[in-house]
Each structure stands twice: as C-alpha cells, then as structure tokens.
C-alpha cells in the first residue's frame, strides 16, 4: 500500500507471534514498519496474507479462512448434499478437486506403479519445469511462482534450485492445501466423481526432498508486495486470463524480476467477461481490426514493445496440453501458448527465436 500510494518502500516486520511450530510462525501479525502506516497483515495457518485491501480479502474469503479440517469424509459429504450445487462449499470443493487432480494425480499413478488412470494427466507444471531446466541454465536465486494454486510448480522448482521458491495465490483453500503438504509430506483432497459425490485422496509427496525451500503466501499478482528486482525467475502459468488486468500481471512480474531474470508464461487465452473486462483481453475481440483479434500477436507486442518494461522472447510454442478433470466423465483440455522470457533493458531490440 505504501509503495502504491506514496511510492515508498517500507519493509514488513513481525508484530505479534501467537503460535509457532517447527516450520515457523503458524499464527501472527506482520506490520508495516512505517509509523505513519502500521498496517497489519495476518499469518493464518502458516500463510501470510499480504494484500493491498485486507478488509475486502478477509471478508470475501471467510468461508475458506475459517474452514475446519477435522470433519470426516462422511460429514463433508453430508454437508455437500445440504449446501447443494453452486454453493460456496461446492465451488471450493470442485476447485480443490480440479487443481489437485491436475497437479498431483500423476504422482499417485507413479507411486502405485500404474499407468495414468483415465482422467489423470501428466502434470503440465512438471513438463514445463523439466523442459525449461533442460533448455536453459537456471540462475541460483529466489523463484516466484505466481498463481501457484495447490503448488505443484512450486514443489517442482524446489528440486531444481538451491534458493527459496515462493508460491503466491489469492485462493486461500489452495494455499492451505499446499502449505499443509509442506508440513505433512502429503496432499489430501476431494476428487469429484459425479455431481456432489467425492472420493478423498491422499498422495505422498516424499519424492520432493527439498520442500523446506518452499513457502506459500496469499498475495495479489496485480500488486506484488516485493521490491523491484528481487527474483531470478518468475512463472505465470495460466493466470493472466483469470485476472482483471493481464497487463498489470505481466508488468508486475517484470518489475520484481532481477535484470536478465527469466520468466515462464503460459496461457490458454480462455477469456471470460465476468473476470476480465473485454477491453483488457489480449486478443479475442474486434476481429475486424488488422490483428483479426489474434491473441498471440497481441501478447507478443505486450511482452516486447512496451515503453516502461520489455522482455526478450527466448523461446515460445503453442499447443502444450493442459488437462483439467471436472469429474470422472468430463475432462477439459486446453492447448496453451507458452513463452520462455528474459527481462531486458528497455532500450535493446526485442527478438524472437521461437516458432
Ligand atoms: C487457471 S488457475 C492456474 C493455476 C496453476 N498456475 C496451474 O496452471 O495449474 C489460475 C490461478 O491464479 C490464481 N489467481 C487469479 N487471480 C490472481 C491474482 N490476482 N493474484 C494471485 N493469484 C491469482 C487463482 O486463484 C488460480 O489459482
């Protein structure tokens, strides 16, 4: 808030520690160090919530923040039936099913020595991280996973770097699942079978030996609470079309990267008017203009031809599959456009070596 409103950089300090565990502060309050501000940012269940409008975030997310985790699967199922389709409970459970399934179901098949079950896809995160590290030298410095959801990309990066990997998202249920995995070594989640019927899964994350390097924070990709030039690598997998302002999302990612820092950006350009105003879509409208509404061309321009920030496109490709399991008889597959990028000085030329 201080950076946005006054242009001043004020570090956060630990104000109150209510509860601690081996991994750090489980419950407490961070404070803005400016005496004129002293804004509070809570840490709940080990997750710092560092967003510009805390009142709006907490009041809009009370369901997720206050959700208890001690009820049996039987009781969750009964509550799900009572709340019914379209309820907050139902929406949250469906999202947990979709993203945990997309991120972790391949690990279950691997641990059971079976082929991928129908409806389970190899994690797109793993594919992207593996192909990046086999093509580029990854600098040893902090990594930011923007829109990390339940954290598979963050976990994958901990295996490839000696430094810290921070996953940020605004979905508190996702962050809680990811954060619990750090302390417990497994992911547990409801997998949607059909309608309001869910099976509860537990997937061992023992293969990730470096999870102490990871952390998960609630932060807004459109207003990242970091100084400029902090991260060596930033990822933005399939998030720009889920925000109000794809442009701000890209600009913020650029801002927090160190000079020459690397970025990976993927998107299926799956625009919806209730999330992103049409005027902020990248392509996907006004097909009568010279670009014909082509999102790929427009995104390249947004990445490379801005006055106040620019990336170099190191590599790009289109058609990387990203599969989401909606229920046992319904999969959605996106073909995402992906980029490997490097932050560059604004005066250089912008070149693409991609296909
Ligand atoms: C389509 S999902 C992609 C998740 C994950 N990166 C993946 O590819 O599986 C978009 C994610 O971005 C998060 N998100 C949307 N807007 C955000 C914002 N302004 N700040 C941080 N996260 C955001 C959502 O909560 C969600 O987890």
């Amino acid at each position: 808030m201080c950076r946005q409103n006054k242009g001043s950089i004020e570090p956060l300090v630990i104000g109150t520690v209510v509860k601690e565990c081996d991994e750090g502060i489980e419950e407490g309050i961070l404070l803005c160090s400016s005496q004129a501000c002293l804004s509070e940012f809570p840490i709940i269940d080990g997750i710092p919530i560092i967003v510009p409008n805390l009142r709006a975030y907490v009041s809009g997310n009370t369901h997720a923040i206050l959700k208890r985790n001690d009820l049996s699967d039987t009781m969750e199922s009964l509550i799900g039936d009572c709340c019914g389709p379209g309820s907050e409970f139902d929406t949250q459970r469906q999202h947990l099913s979709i993203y945990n399934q997309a991120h972790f179901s391949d690990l279950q098949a691997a641990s059971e020595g079976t082929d991928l079950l129908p409806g389970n896809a190899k994690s797109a995160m793993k594919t992207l991280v593996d192909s990046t590290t086999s093509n580029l030298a990854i600098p040893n410095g902090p990594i930011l996973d923007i829109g990390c959801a339940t954290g598979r990309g963050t976990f994958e990066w901990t295996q490839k770097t000696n430094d810290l990997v921070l996953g940020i998202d605004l979905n508190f249920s996702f962050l809680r699942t990811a954060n619990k995995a750090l302390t417990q070594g497994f992911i547990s989640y409801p997998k949607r079978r059909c309608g309001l019927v869910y099976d509860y899964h537990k997937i061992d994350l023992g293969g990730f030996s470096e999870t102490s390097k990871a952390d998960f924070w609630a932060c807004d990709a459109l207003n990242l609470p970091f100084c400029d030039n902090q991260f060596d690598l930033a990822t933005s997998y399939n998030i720009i079309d889920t925000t109000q302002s794809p442009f701000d999302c890209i600009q913020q990612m650029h801002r927090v990267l160190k000079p020459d820092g690397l970025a990976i950006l993927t998107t299926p350009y799956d625009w919806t008017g209730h999330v992103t105003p049409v005027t902020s879509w990248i392509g996907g409208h006004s097909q009568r203009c010279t670009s014909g509404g082509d999102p790929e061309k427009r995104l390249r321009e947004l990445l490379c031809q801005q006055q106040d920030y620019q990336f170099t496109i190191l590599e790009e490709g289109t058609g990387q599959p990203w599969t989401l399991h909606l229920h046992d008889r319904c999969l959605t597959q996106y073909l995402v456009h992906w980029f490997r990028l490097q932050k560059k000085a604004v005066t250089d030329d912008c070149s693409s070596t991609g296909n």
Side-chain angles (χ1 to χ4, degrees):
M1 276 165 26
C2 287
R3 192 182 58 75
Q4 207 180 32
N5 300 337
K6 298 183 292 186
S8 64
I9 303 296
E10 309 288 354
L12 299 183
V13 294
I14 296 170
T16 309
V17 177
V18 181
K19 220 193 281 179
E20 270 183 291
C21 61
D22 290 346
E23 287 74 27
I25 300 174
E26 217 176 317
E27 198 179 308
I29 300 176
L30 300 169
L31 285 181
C32 176
S33 55
S34 157
Q35 288 302 309
C37 175
L38 290 178
S39 287
E40 296 174 299
F41 301 95
I43 302 172
I44 301 175
D45 292 342
I47 301 161
I49 303 178
I50 311 176
V51 293
N53 188 340
L54 185 68
R55 280 173 216 277
Y57 183 84
V58 171
S59 58
N61 289 277
T62 42
H63 192 276
I65 292 172
L66 298 179
K67 182 167 186 311
R68 51 194 289 182
N69 60 7
D70 56 338
L71 292 176
S72 65
D73 304 351
T74 310
M75 204 48 65
E76 289 245 333
S77 141
L78 185 146
I79 292 172
D81 285 334
C82 290
C83 293
S87 60
E88 180 86 33
F89 183 88
D90 183 51
T91 306
Q92 206 177 90
R93 208 161 47 145
Q94 278 197 41
H95 286 162
L96 283 170
S97 172
I98 293 168
Y99 284 97
N100 279 305
Q101 205 38 33
H103 283 206
F104 297 107
S105 61
D106 58 335
L107 296 179
Q108 186 171 20
S111 73
E112 291 167 359
T114 55
D115 288 338
L116 286 179
L117 303 171
N120 291 1
K122 186 173 174 210
S123 161
M125 310 288 96
K126 178 167 173 51
T127 308
L128 281 163
V129 174
D130 286 348
S131 61
T132 301
T133 48
S134 55
N135 280 288
L136 292 176
I138 301 303
N140 257 328
I143 294 178
L144 182 65
D145 184 12
I146 303 170
C148 62
T150 50
R152 177 66 179 271
T154 310
F155 286 117
E156 288 293 336
W157 282 113
T158 60
Q159 303 298 107
K160 311 281 186 186
T161 175
N162 291 325
D163 214 300
L164 300 173
V165 189
L166 180 62
I168 64 123
D169 204 287
L170 282 178
N171 184 312
F172 200 80
S173 312
F174 287 171
L175 294 167
R176 184 186 267 130
T177 306
N179 202 54
K180 264 174 74 180
L182 288 182
T183 50
Q184 298 180 335
F186 61 84
I187 284 275
S188 61
Y189 69 97
K191 179 188 170 199
R192 188 168 179 228
R193 204 193 307 166
C194 167
L196 299 170
V197 176
Y198 285 76
D199 300 304
Y200 283 77
H201 283 256
K202 198 167 154 182
I203 299 179
D204 184 39
L205 296 186
F208 293 102
S209 52
E210 305 286 339
T211 52
S212 60
K213 292 179 201 154
D215 210 359
F216 294 98
W217 297 6
C219 303
D220 187 353
L222 308 183
N223 193 343
L224 292 170
F226 309 111
C227 300
D228 301 353
N229 308 322
Q230 295 294 302
F231 294 92
D232 288 75
L233 188 141
T235 64
S236 164
Y237 303 130
N238 311 321
I239 162 167
I240 57 172
D241 56 356
T242 68
T243 67
Q244 278 185 340
S245 173
F247 175 83
D248 285 349
C249 200
I250 295 168
Q251 193 270 341
Q252 284 284 304
M253 178 166 78
H254 185 278
R255 181 182 70 75
V256 300
L257 275 174
K258 290 180 185 166
D260 293 332
L262 299 175
I264 306 170
L265 185 148
T266 71
T267 176
Y269 305 109
D270 189 26
W271 305 114
T272 42
H274 66 277
V275 176
T276 317
V278 176
T279 44
S280 298
W281 291 6
I282 299 172
H285 66 94
S286 306
Q287 70 184 88
R288 297 149 319 281
C289 68
T290 43
S291 73
D294 173 11
E296 300 189 5
K297 182 166 180 281
R298 181 72 191 119
L299 181 53
R300 283 187 204 102
E301 285 167 8
L302 272 182
L303 292 170
C304 299
Q305 294 171 18
Q306 297 304 302
Q307 276 196 337
D308 45 353
Y309 74 83
Q310 280 183 15
F311 286 103
T312 302
I313 298 175
L314 300 175
E315 225 181 331
E316 65 167 289
T318 193
Q320 160 84 31
W322 177 44
T323 308
L324 300 180
H325 169 281
L326 302 196
H327 59 73
D328 276 356
R329 292 177 186 275
C330 177
L331 304 180
T332 297
Q333 188 170 67
Y334 295 98
L335 301 175
V336 304
H337 188 190
W338 59 267
F339 292 90
R340 294 195 184 102
L341 305 163
Q342 187 159 35
K343 175 171 173 169
K344 74 167 185 173
V346 180
T347 46
D348 295 349
D349 283 342
C350 188
S351 64
S352 168
T353 54
N355 46 6

